[in-house]
Amino acid sequence: MIQGMKEEHREFVRKKLARLRDVLGGKRTLLIVMQDFPDPDAIAAAAALRELVKSFQEITTTLACGGFVGRAENRALLKYLGLNIKSLDGTNCEQFGAIALVDTQPGAGNNRLCREVVPDLVIDHHPMRPQSRKSPFCDVRRPYGATSTIMHEYLSLAGVALSVPLATALLYGIRSDTADLGREAIQADIDAYLNLYPTCNKRMLGRIAMARVPRSYFRAIGMGLQNAHSAGNCVYTLLGTVETPDIVSEIADLLLRDEETTWALCIGAYGDQLLLSLRTSDLQANAGKVMSRLVGRSGTGGGHSVMAGGQIPIADPAPEAFHERAHEVIDRYRKILGNSNAQLSLLMGDDGEGEEAAAIWR
Ligand SMILES: [Mn+2]
């Protein structure tokens, strides 16, 4: 049982659970769709939804996404959970009795579920999208730091005993979406975290967080740092074409640690899209809104108050087209933040400090 959960909220979750069972009543198969490049929160929430529905009916579940799981930590998490994620491209949505979207919503731009498909279930913590209301079951709780927290409440009130791997995954999902409860976490996230902590495998948690990475990871970090520019209170960098899309948000997180920065934007390219990741340390800000303006009408994007993501399709495959568009985004970024006229410099210094840096090795 979750400590500190108010009776009123328990009642809300119980009602939602009853509705969930109604919607899935009699269905034999469920397709659980995540964002194209699922993060730990999406993976844990999908695994949790699977356990939840299996606890009340005989049902075959399939997990799918439009892209793949790139980041080493996330692959380690999948392996630990024993999960197999199918490609949405080779999946015929019509052959499933029901479809669920977790940690994303219809039309969010970060999932490739066919636009004509109205999912039966939507469970998420990003700002509500109008299309989501068409789903017979919709639970979008914007203040929540993680979808894993929502799923943990369901499992807890449904009385489903958590396996060690699932508890570990949910805790990791909450940790990674809230930067260790320090970013956009509410009391419900903290309660879920405390509730999961005794059950989770601490050694596994460490192994997932410190997963070994391919060389391309270091190349991307190197590129991100080399190309990082600062102007006033913002930094930005261009990664060029990336091998795994989730490196874009990882480098945005890294750049936000610059003590002179309030905003960090990282841009990479994958397939025919520019991928944008935005972070801010200004708690009064609305990164989601800034992202909407950055992607404009041709792209999709959004997020929370201090973190946001977006994607812009580029019709022309020429590298120049990507470059030009990326620079347009940067100009807009500087303009929105009022830094258009601020002096531009390389983050790692371009004012003759190179010699001094080399001196430390003598
Ligand atoms: Mn999430």
Side-chain angles (χ1 to χ4, degrees), residues 231-297:
N233 67 345
C234 71
V235 296
Y236 63 83
T237 194
L238 298 175
L239 295 181
T241 299
V242 295
E243 286 180 39
T244 56
D246 27 22
I247 191 75
V248 181
S249 56
E250 187 161 352
I251 292 176
D253 281 332
L254 175 67
L255 292 179
L256 190 65
R257 293 184 61 187
D258 168 30
E259 61 186 5
E260 292 169 37
T261 293
T262 315
W263 289 84
L265 171 68
C266 185
I267 306 178
Y270 188 81
D272 59 357
Q273 289 192 320
L274 272 186
L275 304 176
L276 280 58
S277 187
L278 181 66
R279 299 287 185 266
T280 178
S281 52
D282 177 0
L283 300 176
Q284 311 303 318
N286 188 336
K289 262 195 187 145
V290 174
M291 182 52 77
S292 300
R293 290 173 69 188
L294 289 179
V295 297
R297 281 205 192 130

Short mmCIF file of all heavy atoms in Angstrom, two decimals, residues 231-297:
data_model
loop_
_atom_site.label_atom_id
_atom_site.label_comp_id
_atom_site.label_asym_id
_atom_site.label_seq_id
_atom_site.Cartn_x
_atom_site.Cartn_y
_atom_site.Cartn_z
N ALA A 231 25.48 32.05 -25.67
CA ALA A 231 25.08 33.43 -25.96
C ALA A 231 24.19 33.85 -24.81
O ALA A 231 23.13 33.27 -24.61
CB ALA A 231 24.33 33.50 -27.28
N GLY A 232 24.64 34.81 -24.03
CA GLY A 232 23.85 35.25 -22.88
C GLY A 232 23.60 34.08 -21.94
O GLY A 232 24.52 33.37 -21.57
N ASN A 233 22.32 33.86 -21.61
CA ASN A 233 22.01 32.79 -20.65
C ASN A 233 21.68 31.46 -21.32
O ASN A 233 21.12 30.57 -20.70
CB ASN A 233 20.84 33.23 -19.75
CG ASN A 233 19.54 33.36 -20.53
OD1 ASN A 233 19.54 33.41 -21.77
ND2 ASN A 233 18.43 33.41 -19.83
N CYS A 234 22.00 31.34 -22.62
CA CYS A 234 21.66 30.08 -23.26
C CYS A 234 22.87 29.43 -23.95
O CYS A 234 23.81 30.12 -24.35
CB CYS A 234 20.52 30.26 -24.27
SG CYS A 234 20.94 31.15 -25.77
N VAL A 235 22.83 28.11 -24.03
CA VAL A 235 23.82 27.39 -24.83
C VAL A 235 23.06 26.52 -25.84
O VAL A 235 21.88 26.22 -25.66
CB VAL A 235 24.75 26.47 -23.99
CG1 VAL A 235 25.61 27.26 -23.05
CG2 VAL A 235 23.97 25.41 -23.26
N TYR A 236 23.76 26.15 -26.88
CA TYR A 236 23.17 25.25 -27.86
C TYR A 236 24.30 24.48 -28.53
O TYR A 236 25.46 24.90 -28.52
CB TYR A 236 22.34 26.00 -28.90
CG TYR A 236 23.13 26.97 -29.75
CD1 TYR A 236 23.83 26.53 -30.87
CD2 TYR A 236 23.18 28.32 -29.43
CE1 TYR A 236 24.56 27.42 -31.65
CE2 TYR A 236 23.90 29.21 -30.19
CZ TYR A 236 24.60 28.75 -31.31
OH TYR A 236 25.33 29.62 -32.07
N THR A 237 23.95 23.35 -29.10
CA THR A 237 24.95 22.62 -29.87
C THR A 237 24.31 21.84 -31.00
O THR A 237 23.11 21.53 -30.97
CB THR A 237 25.78 21.68 -28.97
OG1 THR A 237 26.93 21.25 -29.70
CG2 THR A 237 24.99 20.45 -28.52
N LEU A 238 25.11 21.55 -31.99
CA LEU A 238 24.67 20.76 -33.15
C LEU A 238 25.44 19.45 -33.15
O LEU A 238 26.66 19.45 -33.11
CB LEU A 238 24.96 21.51 -34.45
CG LEU A 238 24.26 22.85 -34.63
CD1 LEU A 238 24.74 23.53 -35.91
CD2 LEU A 238 22.76 22.65 -34.68
N LEU A 239 24.73 18.34 -33.19
CA LEU A 239 25.40 17.03 -33.16
C LEU A 239 25.59 16.43 -34.54
O LEU A 239 26.27 15.42 -34.69
CB LEU A 239 24.56 16.04 -32.34
CG LEU A 239 24.40 16.33 -30.86
CD1 LEU A 239 23.58 15.23 -30.23
CD2 LEU A 239 25.75 16.44 -30.19
N GLY A 240 24.94 17.03 -35.54
CA GLY A 240 24.95 16.40 -36.85
C GLY A 240 24.11 15.14 -36.80
O GLY A 240 23.23 14.99 -35.94
N THR A 241 24.37 14.20 -37.71
CA THR A 241 23.60 12.95 -37.73
C THR A 241 24.04 12.06 -36.57
O THR A 241 25.23 11.89 -36.34
CB THR A 241 23.83 12.24 -39.07
OG1 THR A 241 23.35 13.11 -40.11
CG2 THR A 241 23.08 10.93 -39.14
N VAL A 242 23.05 11.57 -35.83
CA VAL A 242 23.37 10.74 -34.67
C VAL A 242 23.02 9.27 -34.94
O VAL A 242 22.18 8.97 -35.78
CB VAL A 242 22.62 11.22 -33.40
CG1 VAL A 242 23.10 12.61 -33.00
CG2 VAL A 242 21.11 11.22 -33.62
N GLU A 243 23.69 8.38 -34.22
CA GLU A 243 23.41 6.96 -34.41
C GLU A 243 22.24 6.50 -33.55
O GLU A 243 21.53 5.57 -33.91
CB GLU A 243 24.66 6.14 -34.10
CG GLU A 243 25.67 6.29 -35.23
CD GLU A 243 26.95 5.50 -34.99
OE1 GLU A 243 26.87 4.37 -34.47
OE2 GLU A 243 28.02 6.02 -35.34
N THR A 244 22.08 7.13 -32.39
CA THR A 244 20.92 6.82 -31.55
C THR A 244 20.27 8.14 -31.11
O THR A 244 20.93 8.99 -30.53
CB THR A 244 21.32 6.03 -30.28
OG1 THR A 244 22.29 6.79 -29.57
CG2 THR A 244 21.88 4.67 -30.63
N PRO A 245 18.99 8.29 -31.43
CA PRO A 245 18.31 9.58 -31.18
C PRO A 245 18.35 10.04 -29.74
O PRO A 245 18.35 11.24 -29.48
CB PRO A 245 16.89 9.30 -31.64
CG PRO A 245 17.02 8.22 -32.65
CD PRO A 245 18.13 7.35 -32.14
N ASP A 246 18.38 9.11 -28.78
CA ASP A 246 18.27 9.58 -27.39
C ASP A 246 19.54 10.26 -26.87
O ASP A 246 19.52 10.86 -25.80
CB ASP A 246 17.78 8.49 -26.43
CG ASP A 246 18.12 7.10 -26.89
OD1 ASP A 246 19.06 6.97 -27.68
OD2 ASP A 246 17.45 6.15 -26.44
N ILE A 247 20.61 10.24 -27.65
CA ILE A 247 21.82 10.97 -27.24
C ILE A 247 21.55 12.48 -27.23
O ILE A 247 22.18 13.24 -26.49
CB ILE A 247 23.03 10.62 -28.16
CG1 ILE A 247 24.34 11.16 -27.59
CG2 ILE A 247 22.83 11.15 -29.56
CD1 ILE A 247 24.89 10.40 -26.43
N VAL A 248 20.57 12.91 -28.05
CA VAL A 248 20.27 14.35 -28.15
C VAL A 248 19.83 14.91 -26.80
O VAL A 248 20.33 15.95 -26.35
CB VAL A 248 19.21 14.60 -29.24
CG1 VAL A 248 18.90 16.09 -29.38
CG2 VAL A 248 19.68 14.06 -30.59
N SER A 249 18.93 14.21 -26.11
CA SER A 249 18.48 14.70 -24.82
C SER A 249 19.56 14.53 -23.75
O SER A 249 19.68 15.34 -22.83
CB SER A 249 17.18 14.00 -24.38
OG SER A 249 17.38 12.61 -24.36
N GLU A 250 20.36 13.51 -23.90
CA GLU A 250 21.43 13.29 -22.92
C GLU A 250 22.42 14.46 -22.94
O GLU A 250 22.88 14.93 -21.90
CB GLU A 250 22.14 11.97 -23.22
CG GLU A 250 23.12 11.60 -22.15
CD GLU A 250 23.49 10.12 -22.14
OE1 GLU A 250 22.89 9.33 -22.89
OE2 GLU A 250 24.40 9.78 -21.38
N ILE A 251 22.74 14.94 -24.15
CA ILE A 251 23.70 16.04 -24.25
C ILE A 251 23.07 17.37 -23.81
O ILE A 251 23.73 18.21 -23.22
CB ILE A 251 24.32 16.08 -25.66
CG1 ILE A 251 25.20 14.83 -25.80
CG2 ILE A 251 25.13 17.36 -25.88
CD1 ILE A 251 25.85 14.62 -27.14
N ALA A 252 21.77 17.51 -24.05
CA ALA A 252 21.08 18.71 -23.54
C ALA A 252 21.16 18.74 -22.02
O ALA A 252 21.43 19.78 -21.41
CB ALA A 252 19.63 18.72 -24.01
N ASP A 253 20.97 17.58 -21.38
CA ASP A 253 21.09 17.49 -19.92
C ASP A 253 22.50 17.88 -19.47
O ASP A 253 22.67 18.60 -18.50
CB ASP A 253 20.81 16.05 -19.44
CG ASP A 253 19.33 15.72 -19.38
OD1 ASP A 253 18.53 16.65 -19.18
OD2 ASP A 253 18.98 14.53 -19.53
N LEU A 254 23.48 17.37 -20.20
CA LEU A 254 24.88 17.65 -19.85
C LEU A 254 25.18 19.15 -19.94
O LEU A 254 25.77 19.73 -19.04
CB LEU A 254 25.81 16.86 -20.79
CG LEU A 254 27.31 17.11 -20.67
CD1 LEU A 254 27.83 16.62 -19.32
CD2 LEU A 254 28.07 16.40 -21.79
N LEU A 255 24.72 19.78 -21.03
CA LEU A 255 25.01 21.21 -21.23
C LEU A 255 24.34 22.09 -20.20
O LEU A 255 24.86 23.15 -19.84
CB LEU A 255 24.61 21.64 -22.64
CG LEU A 255 25.44 21.06 -23.78
CD1 LEU A 255 24.92 21.56 -25.13
CD2 LEU A 255 26.92 21.41 -23.63
N LEU A 256 23.18 21.65 -19.71
CA LEU A 256 22.48 22.46 -18.71
C LEU A 256 23.27 22.54 -17.41
O LEU A 256 23.04 23.40 -16.58
CB LEU A 256 21.06 21.93 -18.46
CG LEU A 256 20.17 22.87 -17.62
CD1 LEU A 256 19.89 24.16 -18.36
CD2 LEU A 256 18.87 22.19 -17.25
N ARG A 257 24.23 21.66 -17.25
CA ARG A 257 25.04 21.70 -16.03
C ARG A 257 26.05 22.85 -16.04
O ARG A 257 26.67 23.14 -15.03
CB ARG A 257 25.74 20.35 -15.82
CG ARG A 257 24.73 19.26 -15.52
CD ARG A 257 25.39 17.95 -15.22
NE ARG A 257 26.25 18.06 -14.03
CZ ARG A 257 27.06 17.08 -13.64
NH1 ARG A 257 27.12 15.96 -14.31
NH2 ARG A 257 27.80 17.23 -12.57
N ASP A 258 26.22 23.50 -17.18
CA ASP A 258 27.09 24.68 -17.25
C ASP A 258 26.54 25.72 -16.27
O ASP A 258 25.38 26.11 -16.36
CB ASP A 258 27.06 25.24 -18.69
CG ASP A 258 27.69 26.63 -18.77
OD1 ASP A 258 28.60 26.92 -17.97
OD2 ASP A 258 27.27 27.40 -19.64
N GLU A 259 27.37 26.15 -15.33
CA GLU A 259 26.87 27.02 -14.25
C GLU A 259 26.47 28.41 -14.73
O GLU A 259 25.81 29.14 -14.02
CB GLU A 259 27.88 27.11 -13.11
CG GLU A 259 29.22 27.69 -13.51
CD GLU A 259 30.24 27.62 -12.37
OE1 GLU A 259 29.94 27.04 -11.32
OE2 GLU A 259 31.35 28.15 -12.57
N GLU A 260 26.88 28.78 -15.95
CA GLU A 260 26.53 30.11 -16.44
C GLU A 260 25.29 30.08 -17.35
O GLU A 260 24.94 31.06 -17.97
CB GLU A 260 27.72 30.70 -17.21
CG GLU A 260 28.89 31.01 -16.29
CD GLU A 260 30.16 31.34 -17.03
OE1 GLU A 260 30.07 31.99 -18.09
OE2 GLU A 260 31.22 30.91 -16.57
N THR A 261 24.68 28.91 -17.44
CA THR A 261 23.59 28.72 -18.39
C THR A 261 22.25 28.50 -17.72
O THR A 261 22.17 27.86 -16.68
CB THR A 261 23.90 27.50 -19.27
OG1 THR A 261 25.02 27.82 -20.08
CG2 THR A 261 22.74 27.12 -20.16
N THR A 262 21.19 29.04 -18.32
CA THR A 262 19.84 28.78 -17.84
C THR A 262 19.08 27.90 -18.84
O THR A 262 18.17 27.18 -18.47
CB THR A 262 19.06 30.12 -17.67
OG1 THR A 262 19.91 31.05 -17.02
CG2 THR A 262 17.82 29.92 -16.84
N TRP A 263 19.48 27.98 -20.12
CA TRP A 263 18.80 27.21 -21.16
C TRP A 263 19.82 26.42 -21.99
O TRP A 263 20.88 26.95 -22.32
CB TRP A 263 18.06 28.15 -22.12
CG TRP A 263 16.86 28.79 -21.51
CD1 TRP A 263 16.84 29.92 -20.76
CD2 TRP A 263 15.50 28.34 -21.60
NE1 TRP A 263 15.55 30.21 -20.37
CE2 TRP A 263 14.71 29.26 -20.88
CE3 TRP A 263 14.87 27.26 -22.23
CZ2 TRP A 263 13.33 29.13 -20.76
CZ3 TRP A 263 13.49 27.13 -22.12
CH2 TRP A 263 12.74 28.06 -21.38
N ALA A 264 19.48 25.18 -22.34
CA ALA A 264 20.35 24.38 -23.20
C ALA A 264 19.51 23.73 -24.30
O ALA A 264 18.46 23.14 -24.03
CB ALA A 264 21.06 23.32 -22.38
N LEU A 265 19.98 23.86 -25.52
CA LEU A 265 19.29 23.26 -26.67
C LEU A 265 20.28 22.38 -27.43
O LEU A 265 21.41 22.79 -27.69
CB LEU A 265 18.78 24.36 -27.62
CG LEU A 265 18.22 23.90 -28.96
CD1 LEU A 265 16.90 23.13 -28.79
CD2 LEU A 265 17.98 25.10 -29.89
N CYS A 266 19.86 21.16 -27.73
CA CYS A 266 20.72 20.26 -28.49
C CYS A 266 19.95 19.80 -29.73
O CYS A 266 18.78 19.44 -29.65
CB CYS A 266 21.10 19.08 -27.60
SG CYS A 266 22.26 17.97 -28.39
N ILE A 267 20.63 19.86 -30.88
CA ILE A 267 19.97 19.49 -32.14
C ILE A 267 20.78 18.40 -32.83
O ILE A 267 22.00 18.51 -32.99
CB ILE A 267 19.85 20.70 -33.09
CG1 ILE A 267 19.15 21.88 -32.39
CG2 ILE A 267 19.10 20.32 -34.37
CD1 ILE A 267 19.05 23.13 -33.25
N GLY A 268 20.11 17.34 -33.24
CA GLY A 268 20.75 16.27 -33.99
C GLY A 268 19.86 15.91 -35.16
O GLY A 268 18.72 16.39 -35.28
N ALA A 269 20.35 15.04 -36.03
CA ALA A 269 19.52 14.58 -37.15
C ALA A 269 19.47 13.07 -37.11
O ALA A 269 20.46 12.40 -36.82
CB ALA A 269 20.11 15.05 -38.47
N TYR A 270 18.27 12.55 -37.37
CA TYR A 270 18.11 11.10 -37.47
C TYR A 270 17.08 10.83 -38.55
O TYR A 270 15.98 11.37 -38.50
CB TYR A 270 17.67 10.50 -36.13
CG TYR A 270 17.69 9.00 -36.17
CD1 TYR A 270 18.89 8.30 -36.00
CD2 TYR A 270 16.53 8.28 -36.44
CE1 TYR A 270 18.93 6.93 -36.08
CE2 TYR A 270 16.57 6.90 -36.53
CZ TYR A 270 17.76 6.23 -36.35
OH TYR A 270 17.81 4.87 -36.43
N GLY A 271 17.45 9.99 -39.52
CA GLY A 271 16.54 9.74 -40.64
C GLY A 271 16.25 11.05 -41.34
O GLY A 271 17.16 11.83 -41.62
N ASP A 272 14.98 11.33 -41.59
CA ASP A 272 14.64 12.56 -42.30
C ASP A 272 14.14 13.64 -41.34
O ASP A 272 13.37 14.51 -41.71
CB ASP A 272 13.59 12.28 -43.38
CG ASP A 272 12.32 11.68 -42.79
OD1 ASP A 272 12.28 11.45 -41.56
OD2 ASP A 272 11.37 11.45 -43.55
N GLN A 273 14.62 13.57 -40.09
CA GLN A 273 14.14 14.54 -39.10
C GLN A 273 15.27 15.23 -38.35
O GLN A 273 16.30 14.62 -38.07
CB GLN A 273 13.28 13.82 -38.06
CG GLN A 273 11.93 13.38 -38.59
CD GLN A 273 11.03 12.96 -37.46
OE1 GLN A 273 11.46 12.32 -36.52
NE2 GLN A 273 9.76 13.31 -37.56
N LEU A 274 15.02 16.47 -38.01
CA LEU A 274 15.87 17.15 -37.04
C LEU A 274 15.25 16.84 -35.68
O LEU A 274 14.03 16.94 -35.52
CB LEU A 274 15.83 18.66 -37.23
CG LEU A 274 16.80 19.35 -38.19
CD1 LEU A 274 16.63 20.85 -38.06
CD2 LEU A 274 18.25 18.95 -37.93
N LEU A 275 16.08 16.47 -34.72
CA LEU A 275 15.59 16.18 -33.38
C LEU A 275 16.08 17.27 -32.44
O LEU A 275 17.26 17.62 -32.45
CB LEU A 275 16.11 14.83 -32.89
CG LEU A 275 15.80 13.63 -33.77
CD1 LEU A 275 16.46 12.38 -33.21
CD2 LEU A 275 14.30 13.42 -33.88
N LEU A 276 15.15 17.81 -31.64
CA LEU A 276 15.49 18.90 -30.74
C LEU A 276 15.24 18.49 -29.30
O LEU A 276 14.23 17.84 -29.00
CB LEU A 276 14.61 20.12 -31.03
CG LEU A 276 14.92 21.05 -32.20
CD1 LEU A 276 14.94 20.32 -33.52
CD2 LEU A 276 13.88 22.15 -32.24
N SER A 277 16.16 18.88 -28.43
CA SER A 277 15.94 18.66 -27.01
C SER A 277 16.29 19.93 -26.25
O SER A 277 17.35 20.51 -26.47
CB SER A 277 16.79 17.48 -26.54
OG SER A 277 16.45 17.18 -25.21
N LEU A 278 15.38 20.35 -25.41
CA LEU A 278 15.53 21.63 -24.71
C LEU A 278 15.43 21.42 -23.20
O LEU A 278 14.58 20.67 -22.73
CB LEU A 278 14.40 22.57 -25.18
CG LEU A 278 14.35 23.98 -24.62
CD1 LEU A 278 15.55 24.80 -25.06
CD2 LEU A 278 13.06 24.67 -25.05
N ARG A 279 16.32 22.09 -22.47
CA ARG A 279 16.31 22.01 -21.00
C ARG A 279 16.46 23.41 -20.43
O ARG A 279 17.17 24.24 -21.01
CB ARG A 279 17.49 21.17 -20.49
CG ARG A 279 17.51 19.73 -20.97
CD ARG A 279 16.43 18.92 -20.26
NE ARG A 279 16.48 17.51 -20.61
CZ ARG A 279 15.78 16.95 -21.58
NH1 ARG A 279 14.98 17.68 -22.33
NH2 ARG A 279 15.87 15.65 -21.80
N THR A 280 15.83 23.65 -19.28
CA THR A 280 16.06 24.92 -18.60
C THR A 280 16.14 24.70 -17.10
O THR A 280 15.53 23.77 -16.57
CB THR A 280 14.97 25.97 -18.91
OG1 THR A 280 15.26 27.16 -18.18
CG2 THR A 280 13.58 25.49 -18.55
N SER A 281 16.92 25.55 -16.42
CA SER A 281 16.98 25.48 -14.96
C SER A 281 16.04 26.53 -14.35
O SER A 281 15.94 26.64 -13.14
CB SER A 281 18.42 25.70 -14.49
OG SER A 281 18.93 26.89 -15.06
N ASP A 282 15.34 27.29 -15.20
CA ASP A 282 14.40 28.29 -14.72
C ASP A 282 13.06 27.61 -14.41
O ASP A 282 12.34 27.22 -15.33
CB ASP A 282 14.22 29.37 -15.81
CG ASP A 282 13.19 30.41 -15.42
OD1 ASP A 282 12.61 30.31 -14.32
OD2 ASP A 282 12.95 31.33 -16.23
N LEU A 283 12.76 27.49 -13.13
CA LEU A 283 11.57 26.74 -12.72
C LEU A 283 10.27 27.44 -13.10
O LEU A 283 9.21 26.82 -13.11
CB LEU A 283 11.60 26.47 -11.22
CG LEU A 283 12.81 25.65 -10.74
CD1 LEU A 283 12.80 25.50 -9.22
CD2 LEU A 283 12.84 24.27 -11.40
N GLN A 284 10.35 28.74 -13.39
CA GLN A 284 9.14 29.48 -13.78
C GLN A 284 8.90 29.39 -15.29
O GLN A 284 7.92 29.91 -15.80
CB GLN A 284 9.25 30.97 -13.42
CG GLN A 284 9.71 31.25 -12.00
CD GLN A 284 8.80 30.60 -10.98
OE1 GLN A 284 7.59 30.62 -11.14
NE2 GLN A 284 9.39 29.99 -9.97
N ALA A 285 9.82 28.77 -16.00
CA ALA A 285 9.75 28.77 -17.46
C ALA A 285 8.74 27.75 -17.98
O ALA A 285 8.19 26.96 -17.23
CB ALA A 285 11.13 28.48 -18.04
N ASN A 286 8.51 27.81 -19.27
CA ASN A 286 7.67 26.81 -19.92
C ASN A 286 8.41 26.30 -21.16
O ASN A 286 8.23 26.82 -22.27
CB ASN A 286 6.31 27.40 -20.27
CG ASN A 286 5.33 26.34 -20.76
OD1 ASN A 286 5.76 25.28 -21.25
ND2 ASN A 286 4.05 26.61 -20.65
N ALA A 287 9.26 25.31 -20.95
CA ALA A 287 10.08 24.78 -22.04
C ALA A 287 9.20 24.20 -23.16
O ALA A 287 9.54 24.29 -24.33
CB ALA A 287 11.04 23.72 -21.51
N GLY A 288 8.07 23.61 -22.77
CA GLY A 288 7.16 23.04 -23.76
C GLY A 288 6.69 24.09 -24.76
O GLY A 288 6.64 23.85 -25.96
N LYS A 289 6.36 25.29 -24.24
CA LYS A 289 5.89 26.37 -25.11
C LYS A 289 7.01 26.86 -26.01
O LYS A 289 6.79 27.13 -27.19
CB LYS A 289 5.36 27.54 -24.27
CG LYS A 289 3.86 27.50 -24.14
CD LYS A 289 3.31 28.83 -23.64
CE LYS A 289 1.83 28.66 -23.38
NZ LYS A 289 1.37 29.44 -22.24
N VAL A 290 8.21 27.01 -25.43
CA VAL A 290 9.36 27.46 -26.23
C VAL A 290 9.59 26.44 -27.35
O VAL A 290 9.82 26.81 -28.51
CB VAL A 290 10.63 27.62 -25.36
CG1 VAL A 290 11.84 27.93 -26.22
CG2 VAL A 290 10.42 28.72 -24.32
N MET A 291 9.49 25.15 -27.02
CA MET A 291 9.70 24.11 -28.03
C MET A 291 8.68 24.21 -29.16
O MET A 291 9.02 24.08 -30.34
CB MET A 291 9.67 22.72 -27.37
CG MET A 291 9.91 21.57 -28.32
SD MET A 291 11.42 21.71 -29.31
CE MET A 291 12.69 21.29 -28.13
N SER A 292 7.42 24.45 -28.81
CA SER A 292 6.38 24.59 -29.85
C SER A 292 6.75 25.69 -30.83
O SER A 292 6.54 25.57 -32.03
CB SER A 292 5.02 24.93 -29.24
OG SER A 292 4.64 23.92 -28.37
N ARG A 293 7.30 26.79 -30.28
CA ARG A 293 7.68 27.90 -31.17
C ARG A 293 8.91 27.53 -31.99
O ARG A 293 9.05 27.97 -33.14
CB ARG A 293 7.94 29.16 -30.34
CG ARG A 293 6.65 29.72 -29.75
CD ARG A 293 6.92 30.87 -28.80
NE ARG A 293 7.42 32.07 -29.48
CZ ARG A 293 7.87 33.14 -28.81
NH1 ARG A 293 7.87 33.15 -27.50
NH2 ARG A 293 8.31 34.19 -29.48
N LEU A 294 9.82 26.75 -31.43
CA LEU A 294 11.03 26.37 -32.15
C LEU A 294 10.73 25.47 -33.35
O LEU A 294 11.32 25.62 -34.41
CB LEU A 294 12.03 25.65 -31.23
CG LEU A 294 12.73 26.49 -30.16
CD1 LEU A 294 13.65 25.62 -29.33
CD2 LEU A 294 13.50 27.63 -30.81
N VAL A 295 9.82 24.53 -33.17
CA VAL A 295 9.53 23.60 -34.26
C VAL A 295 8.59 24.21 -35.31
O VAL A 295 8.55 23.75 -36.44
CB VAL A 295 8.95 22.24 -33.77
CG1 VAL A 295 9.96 21.52 -32.90
CG2 VAL A 295 7.64 22.43 -33.05
N GLY A 296 7.85 25.24 -34.90
CA GLY A 296 6.95 25.91 -35.84
C GLY A 296 5.86 24.99 -36.34
O GLY A 296 5.56 23.96 -35.71
N ARG A 297 5.28 25.35 -37.46
CA ARG A 297 4.14 24.58 -37.98
C ARG A 297 4.55 23.26 -38.62
O ARG A 297 3.77 22.32 -38.66
CB ARG A 297 3.38 25.40 -39.00
CG ARG A 297 2.50 26.40 -38.30
CD ARG A 297 1.33 26.81 -39.16
NE ARG A 297 0.70 27.97 -38.55
CZ ARG A 297 0.42 29.07 -39.19
NH1 ARG A 297 0.67 29.16 -40.47
NH2 ARG A 297 -0.13 30.08 -38.57
#
